[in-house]
Amino acid sequence: MKYRSLYTPTALALALSITSTASFSAPVETLLTPAEQRIQALEKRLLELESRLSTQDSGVATTAKINTTVSASDSGFSLKKDGYDLTFSALAQTDLRTFLSDDRVAGGSSGKLQDGFLLRRIRPTLAGNLGSLAAFRFTPEFAGTGSGDSSSVVDAYIDLKVLPNAIVRVGKQKSLIGIERIQSASALPFIERGLTTELVPNRNLGVSVFGDFADKAMSYSV
């Protein structure tokens, strides 16, 4: 009587294939120690955090490029965007004039001098920078000069920044002579300047070139 073996070459090959497939399809995590699995989980979480931070940084950079910065300070209200800025400010000064006695010579036939406030300066200013190469300033005067003029233009010029220490200014501008004349009216200790300021020029129409050297220790103007 002959017995036929159940383990034929085909059956053995099939069994080996199933065993190898099962062993290779097992998850890799089951082959790692608990410490190695924890390290792998931490590395995965670190990569996710780095990806999130990268996305947030790119979003902040894009927002910074698109949004316009609006600010308010002692210099006025300003708008800034991509190297361009626009500033609006205003100066208002009033003078109270009170006379203790009447003078018929100064007061005319009535002999009465009018007490009250005088609008000395009403000057809104619009200034800004057009990138790194140009700037401008426009300042009208609405207080009048007292001689019947209702308004005038105090400053109106444009600056061309041709060199780091050389700026070309074109328009109506101050002559850089006289310390009180150079100072802004808002920086004076009194509303009126000294009598010696009447001896120096005020504002002129023309072209000037000015700049400074040695960390602003030396300056020039032509």
Side-chain angles (χ1 to χ4, degrees):
M1 186 175 187
K2 296 182 179 180
Y3 295 95
R4 187 178 180 182
S5 176
L6 296 176
Y7 298 99
T8 62
T10 304
L12 289 174
L14 181 60
L16 290 174
S17 175
I18 293 174
T19 304
S20 61
T21 303
S23 62
F24 281 110
S25 62
V28 180
E29 288 78 1
T30 59
L31 303 179
L32 301 176
T33 64
E36 292 175 342
Q37 292 179 7
R38 186 175 180 182
I39 293 174
Q40 188 178 23
L42 290 175
E43 290 179 349
K44 183 178 180 181
R45 186 175 180 183
L46 180 60
L47 291 175
E48 292 178 354
L49 291 176
E50 289 179 349
S51 178
R52 292 180 182 178
L53 289 176
S54 178
T55 303
Q56 291 178 358
D57 292 341
S58 62
V60 170
T62 303
T63 304
K65 291 181 180 179
I66 296 176
N67 290 345
T68 301
T69 303
V70 181
S71 61
S73 63
D74 296 338
S75 302
F77 299 93
S78 62
L79 303 174
K80 296 182 179 181
K81 180 180 180 181
D82 297 337
Y84 295 83
D85 64 84
L86 181 66
T87 302
F88 175 78
S89 60
L91 172 66
Q93 292 178 336
T94 61
D95 187 6
L96 173 61
R97 299 184 176 184
T98 301
F99 301 92
L100 301 179
S101 61
D102 295 334
D103 186 352
R104 291 190 176 277
V105 176
S109 59
S110 64
K112 287 186 174 293
L113 298 173
Q114 298 297 323
D115 300 340
F117 287 93
L118 173 68
L119 296 178
R120 183 63 180 86
R121 296 180 180 91
I122 305 295
R123 297 178 180 178
T125 298
L126 191 65
N129 291 285
L130 307 176
S132 60
L133 298 179
F136 69 92
R137 180 184 178 91
F138 178 74
T139 303
E141 173 67 88
F142 294 111
T145 60
S147 59
D149 297 334
S150 60
S151 62
S152 60
V153 176
V154 179
D155 293 313
Y157 58 79
I158 184 170
D159 291 341
L160 303 177
K161 304 173 185 179
V162 294
L163 293 173
N165 52 3
I167 299 176
V168 179
R169 177 169 293 178
V170 182
K172 189 175 183 180
Q173 55 191 287
K174 285 184 179 182
S175 298
L176 299 182
I177 301 176
I179 182 62
E180 281 192 329
R181 186 64 71 190
I182 297 174
Q183 287 179 320
S184 172
S186 61
L188 297 175
F190 300 100
I191 292 180
E192 301 297 338
R193 291 178 169 89
L195 293 177
T196 54
T197 307
E198 300 297 329
L199 301 177
V200 298
N202 187 353
R203 285 169 170 83
N204 290 320
L205 292 172
V207 180
S208 65
V209 180
F210 61 93
D212 53 66
F213 295 95
D215 294 332
K216 297 184 179 180
M218 300 176 60
S219 61
Y220 72 93
S221 174
V222 179

